Amino acid sequence: MTYIPAEKLEQEAKELLDKLDFDKMKPRERMQIPMQEMPSQEPAVRAKNIEEVALGYYEEQVKIEAERCLQCKNAPCIKGCPVGINIPGFLKAAAEGDYQKSVDIIKESSMLPAICGRVCPQETQCMELCTVGKGLKDKDKSVAIGRVERFVADWERETGKMSLPEIAPATGKKVGIVGSGPAGLTAAADIRKAGHEVVLFEAFHKLGGVMVYGIPEFRLPKAILDKEVENLLSMGVKIEKNFLVGRTRKLSDLLEKDGYDALFIGTGAGLPNFMNIEGENLVGVFSANEFLTRANLMKAYTPDKADTPIYTGKKTAVIGGGNVAMDAARMALRVGAEEVYVIYRRTEKEMPARREEVVHAQEEGIHFNFLTNPKRVISDGKGHVAGIECLRYELGEPDDSGRRRPVAIEGSEFVLEMDSVIMALGNSSNPLISQTAKEISVNKWGNITVDEDGKTSMDRVYAGGDIVLGAATVILAMGEGRRAAESINKLLASE
Amino acid sequence: MSRILSKIHLSKDVFQMKLQAPNIARERKAGQFVILQADSDYTERIPLTIADADAEEGSITIIFQVVGKTTLNLALMNEGDVIENVLGPLGQPTHIENFGTVVCVGGGIGVAPLHPIAQAMKDAGNRVITIVGARTKELLILEDEMRAIADEFIVCTDDGSYGRKDLVTKPLQEICESEKPDVAVVIGPPVMMKFCAETTRPYGIKTYASLNTIMVDGTGMCGGCRVTVGNETKFVCVDGPEFDAHLVDFDTMMLRLTSFKTIEQKSNHECHLEKAIEKL
């Protein structure tokens, strides 16, 4: 992947579309159609603004990309989707230019298509199993399912014809959803559809959970998130903002005193991990959560308007190799850092971040130090960060994750001068619910344990998403919310 | 949304507000705090202690000092105005039991969070000795309220304009000598808490400090409030705000509190603040 100007991509797609006759194509010929690259803002320009980086497909590109789908009878892609979207179905409708039908097919399974089309790790889900990618021996050349999904979702939103699912007659039952991230929103929609009253509790003042505080504007514009959430709420879901379940009200009180028939906990994994190294609490060391919350939720990227301060210094190190590390690094570049270094202890190949995000970061000028990990944070003598002392690493035998284990090379210490450090090492489960509801069982990592129906050890209480899985992805959390919603609907229907 | 039910100008730059917040008033316990934000866009979220609450009226009382732009904006709001977002109660409640004799030490604005704790300690049957301190007489808050609770009440000012001309550590040391209290609770500026901890340490008196650190969300998510306690990293919002004062690394905490000082000073000259407060 290298940057190609958007106009050039459009031109190429137009020329290609004129040449191709899809009706007469055999699968083998279809597989020769080149994958359509995503148009994006020019790297040097976007590194200085907060606007969305990926611009979305041109209509010609949608047509071509959707026609790349072989419409396999066994549809392996669906098995790779945590919410089981009928992928060949929506691609076929998109190829025919019936975008409404296409988005309606997606919405049978996912209420958040504009979000998923942007932030799903498609290459490790649907695209990983795609026959086209398998045939070309490159999953990055599979049908770009998410990009087409994004297009039809954007089309629907922009044409203002957002459709609502049908809602069953009122049942008189009431369900509380704790947390308005992807798991909670999905569960809310599915439970509401069954005719139950649904109340969504959110500790923050904005809905969306990690999608609003964690994922930056340049990757998921808040206006799009808000619109998708608003659409869901128009199904009649009630909201209680500034409400921290566990503190503002205990789970048991909601059930016993406030008349809730069931609860779903989708609070996410909101407790940032640190490395427990010397100097970690120096001034200038931040968790990615804090950094991104200041930037995204509190809009610190508009310094003339926002009251919430943010600090990057001139040289910023981001520790970690996941999507959050990429988000933090690219945000740091946009809010003031002159040089940003991603420090990751394995190699580029093992990075958990999406390939597309890594490439975008590289194009924007982020530096990468692979096989490197900090040993301590160095103070300037006044309590501020002056640098990090690092060790070089090499890859040893594969570990439990199947990736080769990084091993520190003894005596390889070296110093990188930095004036801020952002730790993006993932999150542990937030202890708040388990602190205040002893009936809820958690495992040794503090994740809530659930049975195959998503039910916790507490009667009528279900859980899903990162609080169960540990830190995962938006779509996996949605899958969890969906599963628990089905169980709750079944429970309430049986009474 | 929380309506401001009343507003009192307590001292030079300290204000007391009663807010409509029935859910928080119902659940709050001594030692807990709220996070508030004047409106949803562009404003900062700040943690403030709950100085008092009335569950029947559905109200909580906050006391805050104007130290920056956000607290200044809050001070400019009036009775009847609405604060868009108030989240709470947050943090672990204070561990209250009948210890015997409890000495409560409050400095400056720290007297506000100390008030409900002293009250709860008294209600639990403790003999409560209270020491309150301020730079000067006008900065002293909640004197009558604290005096009403305490079995013994001592006031100190740095400049001697009222009560004893001493730092609060002086009477604290005397009490450690004479009364041998069972527990000490200290709340105030970090440097005061640090020296109170050093005062009680040689006597082996269990001492709790309530920490007020930089905080964004108050639910454990951001990690900005972290402090070193007994060589472990703890989050003030979910593990605290109270910790064993003898284990807290106050020096690191004080440094971390300066994290955004340069930026804040740039956006908000102190002279502007003073002028704005004078107008109030």
Side-chain angles (χ1 to χ4, degrees):
Chain A
M1 279 193 264
T2 43
Y3 171 74
I4 304 166
E7 306 77 45
K8 186 152 182 268
L9 289 173
E10 184 183 25
Q11 192 55 37
E12 284 174 1
K14 279 185 175 155
E15 286 166 14
L16 184 61
L17 197 55
D18 282 343
K19 271 190 265 171
L20 297 175
D21 184 357
F22 298 113
D23 294 338
K24 289 181 187 153
M25 267 188 188
K26 296 198 174 78
R28 186 173 255 165
E29 290 163 326
R30 230 168 246 280
M31 289 189 46
Q32 300 309 312
I33 305 173
M35 185 207 208
Q36 295 298 295
E37 284 300 337
M38 181 63 122
S40 65
Q41 278 196 70
E42 208 246 301
V45 174
R46 71 187 192 228
K48 298 285 166 214
N49 70 37
I50 201 75
E51 310 300 318
E52 193 170 14
V53 165
L55 299 170
Y57 270 165
Y58 293 101
E59 203 163 352
E60 293 83 0
Q61 289 185 294
V62 175
K63 171 82 179 161
I64 298 169
E65 194 61 37
E67 288 284 5
R68 290 183 70 224
C69 174
L70 303 177
Q71 294 292 321
C72 316
K73 284 229 167 60
N74 58 346
C77 49
I78 300 180
K79 293 179 199 84
C81 174
V83 296
I85 293 173
N86 174 4
I87 294 164
F90 94 76
L91 287 173
K92 186 159 191 285
E96 287 161 358
D98 190 345
Y99 303 135
Q100 188 64 57
K101 182 175 168 195
S102 180
V103 71
D104 285 345
I105 292 172
I106 298 173
K107 281 193 177 170
E108 287 165 12
S109 315
S110 165
M111 280 296 288
L112 309 170
I115 294 168
C116 291
R118 285 170 165 81
V119 303
C120 268
Q122 288 116 15
E123 58 280 4
T124 58
Q125 295 177 340
C126 50
M127 284 171 72
E128 187 161 45
L129 302 175
C130 170
T131 311
V132 175
K134 288 238 156 103
L136 297 171
K137 295 191 172 57
D138 183 354
K139 66 180 181 192
D140 288 332
K141 294 205 171 99
S142 297
V143 177
I145 297 163
R147 294 173 182 175
V148 179
E149 178 184 23
R150 170 187 161 137
F151 179 89
V152 295
D154 287 356
W155 174 89
E156 186 193 35
R157 189 183 63 256
E158 282 157 16
T159 48
K161 296 177 202 151
M162 287 175 90
S163 62
L164 276 186
E166 214 168 295
I167 293 162
T171 60
K173 300 263 166 69
K174 186 161 80 163
V175 180
I177 309 284
V178 187
S180 71
L185 289 175
T186 304
D190 282 2
I191 294 169
R192 180 71 195 121
K193 272 192 244 175
H196 308 303
E197 184 183 343
V198 174
V199 180
L200 195 56
F201 296 105
E202 170 56 49
F204 271 139
H205 51 286
K206 293 218 166 127
L207 301 183
V210 70
M211 300 183 290
V212 62
Y213 73 75
I215 302 178
E217 187 76 17
F218 57 77
R219 201 149 72 84
L220 176 63
K222 298 297 158 282
I224 289 172
L225 170 69
D226 291 348
K227 190 75 195 173
E228 214 136 86
V229 169
E230 192 187 296
N231 192 39
L232 195 149
L233 296 179
S234 57
M235 294 167 62
V237 173
K238 292 181 186 139
I239 315 161
E240 286 272 6
K241 287 191 232 175
N242 296 305
F243 198 112
L244 184 61
V245 173
R247 292 256 194 261
T248 311
R249 198 69 166 151
K250 291 190 188 65
L251 289 178
S252 52
D253 287 338
L254 289 171
L255 289 170
E256 288 155 22
K257 297 179 185 162
D258 301 346
Y260 285 87
D261 296 290
L263 298 171
F264 171 75
I265 304 170
T267 50
L271 201 72
N273 294 338
F274 289 90
M275 295 182 76
N276 298 318
I277 55 173
E278 184 189 328
E280 199 163 50
N281 290 341
L282 288 171
V283 175
V285 184
F286 303 94
S287 76
N289 280 1
E290 179 182 357
F291 186 77
L292 289 170
T293 302
R294 284 177 184 276
N296 298 326
L297 185 69
M298 318 306 293
K299 298 187 171 41
Y301 55 77
T302 50
D304 42 337
K305 280 198 228 162
D307 286 347
T308 302
I310 197 158
Y311 173 81
T312 60
K314 289 195 170 122
K315 287 178 84 171
T316 302
V318 178
I319 320 297
N323 286 322
V324 177
M326 295 306 109
D327 287 345
R330 297 168 72 194
M331 183 57 91
L333 199 65
R334 285 160 171 78
V335 296
E338 287 166 15
E339 291 172 55
V340 180
Y341 295 79
V342 169
I343 315 283
Y344 181 56
R345 61 191 186 139
R346 303 182 207 239
T347 73
E348 184 168 0
K349 203 174 133 238
E350 288 85 19
M351 284 181 96
R354 291 189 64 196
R355 174 98 190 108
E356 186 175 305
E357 306 307 331
V358 179
V359 170
H360 279 162
Q362 285 167 338
E363 286 173 358
E364 287 162 19
I366 307 276
H367 305 280
F368 286 78
N369 290 54
F370 295 111
L371 292 167
T372 305
N373 211 28
K375 191 181 163 195
R376 67 186 177 106
V377 184
I378 300 168
S379 165
D380 66 351
K382 294 177 211 145
H384 291 247
V385 172
I388 44 176
E389 185 179 44
C390 298
L391 279 169
R392 294 204 193 280
Y393 277 62
E394 57 193 357
L395 292 182
E397 294 302 308
D399 63 11
D400 298 345
S401 73
R403 296 175 301 176
R404 291 176 66 194
R405 186 193 300 273
V407 184
I409 302 171
E410 245 179 84
S412 63
E413 285 88 349
F414 66 103
V415 171
L416 293 171
E417 279 178 31
M418 293 289 159
D419 37 27
S420 68
V421 178
I422 300 170
M423 299 284 181
L425 304 155
N427 292 289
S428 301
S429 52
N430 191 302
L432 231 151
I433 294 273
S434 48
Q435 265 180 7
T436 55
K438 298 292 171 209
E439 305 93 319
I440 297 267
S441 301
V442 294
N443 65 16
K444 64 175 171 174
W445 298 283
N447 296 325
I448 294 179
T449 49
V450 295
D451 66 12
E452 63 275 15
D453 294 328
K455 190 182 167 302
T456 70
S457 54
M458 190 172 174
D459 200 27
R460 299 187 168 274
V461 180
Y462 294 73
D466 283 6
I467 189 68
V468 169
L469 298 170
T473 60
V474 167
I475 189 79
L476 278 171
M478 288 174 64
E480 289 262 302
R482 164 147 276 214
R483 180 180 64 156
E486 199 183 322
S487 306
I488 290 173
N489 286 342
K490 215 180 277 173
L491 169 83
L492 297 183
S494 72
E495 290 174 341
Chain B
M1 288 207 302
S2 265
R3 190 167 297 281
I4 300 172
L5 301 173
S6 68
K7 173 186 169 186
I8 304 169
H9 194 162
L10 279 189
S11 78
K12 191 169 161 281
D13 49 4
V14 178
F15 295 82
Q16 175 177 319
M17 279 180 180
K18 204 190 256 191
L19 309 178
Q20 193 178 42
N23 286 334
I24 303 174
R26 180 182 57 197
E27 298 292 326
R28 76 94 208 194
K29 294 196 172 62
Q32 291 187 298
F33 62 97
V34 292
I35 278 209
L36 59 81
Q37 185 185 24
D39 67 57
S40 286
D41 273 330
Y42 302 110
T43 54
E44 196 177 10
R45 290 161 62 93
I46 54 163
L48 291 174
T49 351
I50 305 169
D52 206 350
D54 184 335
E56 259 175 49
E57 190 187 36
S59 72
I60 59 166
T61 301
I62 54 166
I63 293 179
F64 61 93
Q65 185 167 20
V66 177
V67 288
K69 195 173 175 187
T70 302
T71 38
L72 174 62
N73 285 340
L74 190 59
L76 292 168
M77 296 178 86
N78 288 308
E79 192 181 310
D81 289 348
V82 165
I83 299 174
E84 190 77 21
N85 301 300
V86 182
L87 173 69
L90 301 171
Q92 306 266 18
T94 304
H95 175 65
I96 304 281
E97 64 170 77
N98 191 346
F99 296 103
T101 300
V102 177
V103 55
C104 295
V105 189
I109 189 87
V111 177
L114 188 65
H115 174 248
I117 296 171
Q119 181 70 61
M121 287 292 187
K122 180 71 193 167
D123 293 346
N126 291 287
R127 174 175 151 73
V128 175
I129 305 171
T130 301
I131 307 170
V132 298
R135 259 188 296 131
T136 183
K137 185 175 184 236
E138 291 93 70
L139 297 177
L140 207 62
I141 57 166
L142 301 180
E143 187 192 343
D144 295 342
E145 289 85 343
M146 293 305 271
R147 195 184 285 277
I149 297 164
D151 293 286
E152 200 181 321
F153 185 73
I154 302 160
V155 179
C156 298
T157 50
D158 294 4
D159 63 358
S161 53
Y162 189 59
R164 291 173 56 163
K165 183 180 188 297
D166 268 322
L167 297 172
V168 289
T169 44
K170 191 77 188 300
L172 178 61
Q173 172 137 28
E174 291 163 12
I175 288 161
C176 290
E177 283 283 342
S178 61
E179 299 239 4
K180 305 239 170 341
D182 299 283
V183 166
V185 181
V186 302
I187 311 181
V191 67
M192 181 209 102
M193 294 194 280
K194 177 185 169 178
F195 283 103
C196 284
E198 290 319 312
T199 306
T200 58
R201 193 191 299 273
Y203 300 95
I205 294 163
K206 189 85 177 165
T207 304
Y208 296 98
S210 179
L211 309 184
N212 191 349
T213 51
I214 287 173
M215 203 178 279
V216 180
D217 68 302
T219 69
M221 193 273 289
C222 83
C225 64
R226 64 194 190 276
V227 286
T228 313
V229 181
N231 290 323
E232 273 182 70
T233 292
K234 296 276 180 189
F235 293 161
V236 169
C237 65
V238 290
D239 301 316
E242 275 172 30
F243 295 97
D244 184 335
H246 296 146
L247 298 178
V248 174
D249 178 350
F250 283 104
D251 293 331
T252 311
M253 176 188 157
M254 284 187 262
L255 271 171
R256 286 190 59 77
L257 281 169
T258 65
S259 293
F260 296 99
K261 214 172 168 188
T262 343
I263 301 173
E264 278 171 352
Q265 273 167 354
K266 240 188 260 170
S267 75
N268 198 16
H269 279 290
E270 277 211 56
C271 52
H272 283 187
L273 279 183
E274 301 256 321
K275 271 188 205 148
I277 294 166
E278 271 167 32
K279 276 189 211 154
L280 284 170

